[in-house]
Amino acid sequence: MAGIGRFGKFGGIFVPETLMPALEELQAAFSKYSKDKAFNRELDYLLKEYAGRPTPLTFADNLSKIVGAKVYLKREDLLHTGAHKLNNALGQALLAKRMKKSRLIAETGAGQHGTAVATAGAKLKFKTEIFMGEVDIERQKPNVFRMKLQGAKVVPVSSGGKTLKDAINECLRDWVASSGYTHYLLGSALGPHPFPGMVAHFQSVIGKEARRQILKAEGRLPDSVVACVGGGSNSIGIFREFLKDKKVGLLGVEAGGLGIETGKHAARFADKKLGRPGVIHGTYTYVLQDKFGQIYNTHSVSAGLDYSAVGPEHSLLKEAGRAKYSYATDRQALNAFKVLSEEEGIIPALESAHAVAYLLNHKNEFKGKTVVLNLSGRGDKDIFHAAKQLGEEI
């Protein structure tokens, strides 16, 4: 399978030989069923009648006045389970059904992907186990409870930084031993082929809807599409539909944490010293790493952005200059979390708040323009963590 699944020089398959049969089986199934009419009819039905698609495109009039631009929010926060993650979870779970698997495993950081997998597992009757770093379990308690309530087992991960990277490691170890009856439902557009392309395919529904909706609302395409970037699934989901429209600027916002100069962040592109191409979790992409090539531990107020690497398609878009990537710090994201709540009555996920923060902190860049911002998830899961960060007692 050498050369398959590349995005320019990025992507590919860098896994132990024991995982190759599982990846080849998955690639064959995805290639077959992604074009299968019955499969797509069943997925479309679930997305519409169970998950609640299409999600609205909301004109944010109050935020627009503050930014000085026409800002539209693609409301993935209104999808069932509260985030875009369910698009991919339902797609892969249906695929696992076709592959005759009986068990789903998944990793999660913010808990939104874990919740989506637990939901899909309950609906489609899988035994489901979610691997989650102990640090993330502590800051995402509401989602941990939601997963358990839906019958999933939450497996604490105590290795490394006890966050998303370490949860992915544990998932891969489990999958090596259980791939005969288990599907690893990877949550973002990263990992070995076919995961990056497959996740982007299942998330492309976001961009397809957004394109139709902004054309209906404005009679034209937006000047900019903005989204937060952790692994990169919500952003690649909306970016893909606009890639050929060169006049539409694409902007990904990473987690700047405590500031690039501190080294305590998850900004793979912004930190020229720590962020450079390397191999992690089966793919070649931009990775935060020390001078010895060891994976660098990250920091972000947002569990969903707290990942050392980024999906390989984003690395290609960055190097090709088709998308621009910047960052927002923890402090800026927390401020945006409050601003969107107060001005629009919408509590964003801390992940999405990074994208809002970029608009608030770069108003001149967007003055007089039309912007579509992908609000990838809602902030209910973050209220206890955000309150603590803001010095509030609840």
Side-chain angles (χ1 to χ4, degrees):
M1 295 172 75
I4 296 176
R6 291 284 187 173
F7 301 92
K9 67 182 181 183
F10 299 104
I13 308 172
F14 298 87
V15 297
E17 196 172 327
T18 49
L19 262 185
M20 288 303 292
L23 289 169
E24 289 173 339
E25 179 190 20
L26 180 59
Q27 167 57 27
F30 175 62
S31 179
K32 175 181 177 181
Y33 289 111
S34 61
K35 304 179 188 72
D36 182 79
K37 288 182 179 178
F39 176 86
N40 285 310
R41 194 161 50 241
E42 187 173 356
L43 178 58
D44 288 346
Y45 175 82
L46 284 171
L47 289 174
K48 180 181 178 184
E49 304 296 342
Y50 181 69
R53 302 211 74 88
T55 58
L57 184 72
T58 302
F59 178 59
D61 51 342
N62 297 324
L63 180 64
S64 294
K65 290 173 186 171
I66 294 172
V67 176
K70 297 177 82 171
V71 180
Y72 287 84
L73 305 175
K74 180 56 177 163
R75 301 293 304 279
E76 293 301 289
D77 60 311
L78 294 181
L79 195 66
H80 178 43
T81 73
H84 70 291
K85 294 293 187 180
L86 192 59
N87 303 317
N88 172 55
L90 286 172
Q92 287 199 48
L94 266 187
L95 197 59
K97 276 283 179 190
R98 296 294 199 276
M99 295 165 66
K100 311 294 185 189
K101 306 294 182 182
S102 61
R103 176 175 176 254
L104 300 177
I105 58 171
E107 84 300 326
T108 194
Q112 291 297 73
H113 174 56
T115 298
V117 175
T119 302
K123 179 66 178 172
L124 299 175
K125 310 317 295 176
F126 283 97
K127 180 181 179 183
T128 305
E129 294 187 32
I130 310 296
F131 292 80
M132 192 169 186
E134 289 182 342
V135 169
D136 293 336
I137 286 177
E138 180 60 30
R139 56 184 171 179
Q140 299 293 344
K141 289 179 180 176
N143 269 341
V144 172
F145 180 67
R146 292 168 73 189
M147 286 181 253
K148 291 180 177 177
L149 198 60
Q150 293 178 103
K153 178 182 178 183
V154 178
V155 182
V157 176
S158 58
S159 57
K162 305 174 186 177
T163 59
L164 181 59
K165 166 179 69 68
D166 312 294
I168 294 174
N169 288 338
E170 291 304 316
C171 264
L172 287 169
R173 288 191 189 102
D174 184 298
W175 201 31
V176 167
S178 65
S179 60
Y181 60 94
T182 296
H183 174 61
Y184 174 17
L185 207 162
L186 205 154
S188 198
L190 46 84
H193 175 71
F195 284 111
M198 182 171 65
V199 175
H201 171 81
F202 287 132
Q203 292 293 3
S204 65
V205 65
I206 304 172
K208 289 172 182 171
E209 287 178 9
R211 185 187 183 92
R212 287 197 302 269
Q213 291 166 325
I214 193 66
L215 283 172
K216 183 178 180 182
E218 289 288 324
R220 61 185 285 267
L221 294 176
D223 298 297
S224 299
V225 175
V226 182
C228 63
V229 182
S233 67
N234 92 88
S235 44
I236 208 68
I238 195 166
F239 284 0
R240 270 198 169 189
E241 191 63 17
F242 298 94
L243 286 177
K244 293 179 180 176
D245 305 300
K246 298 298 174 60
K247 291 184 178 179
V248 179
L250 306 176
L251 176 69
V253 185
E254 298 184 290
L258 302 182
I260 303 304
E261 68 285 354
T262 69
K264 294 182 177 180
H265 58 75
R268 293 66 47 103
F269 294 134
D271 192 329
K272 306 300 181 189
K273 181 179 176 184
L274 297 174
R276 59 186 187 276
V279 172
I280 183 173
H281 297 140
T283 194
Y284 181 68
T285 188
Y286 269 74
V287 188
L288 289 172
Q289 50 192 304
D290 65 19
K291 63 181 180 181
F292 302 108
Q294 298 297 311
I295 305 304
Y296 200 80
N297 283 334
T298 54
H299 164 85
S300 173
V301 71
S302 166
L305 301 186
D306 200 356
Y307 181 55
S308 306
V310 64
E313 192 167 358
H314 285 289
S315 293
L316 170 64
L317 294 178
K318 186 259 183 190
E319 290 211 346
R322 179 61 190 95
K324 174 185 172 186
Y325 295 85
S326 189
Y327 64 91
T329 64
D330 287 353
R331 183 179 55 79
Q332 291 168 338
L334 285 165
N335 177 61
F337 183 82
K338 291 180 64 179
V339 169
L340 197 66
S341 301
E342 292 169 356
E343 296 295 335
E344 295 290 346
I346 297 171
I347 303 173
L350 280 173
E351 290 80 1
S352 312
H354 283 71
V356 178
Y358 188 87
L359 290 189
L360 293 173
N361 288 283
H362 298 80
K363 296 175 186 174
N364 289 340
E365 192 176 320
F366 301 100
K367 201 169 187 64
K369 295 185 176 178
T370 299
V371 180
V372 171
L373 186 149
N374 195 33
L375 203 69
S376 59
R378 70 180 183 227
D380 305 39
K381 67 184 179 60
D382 293 316
I383 55 173
F384 295 104
H385 179 54
K388 185 177 179 181
Q389 295 292 319
L390 293 167
E392 300 278 348
E393 287 190 17
I394 55 175

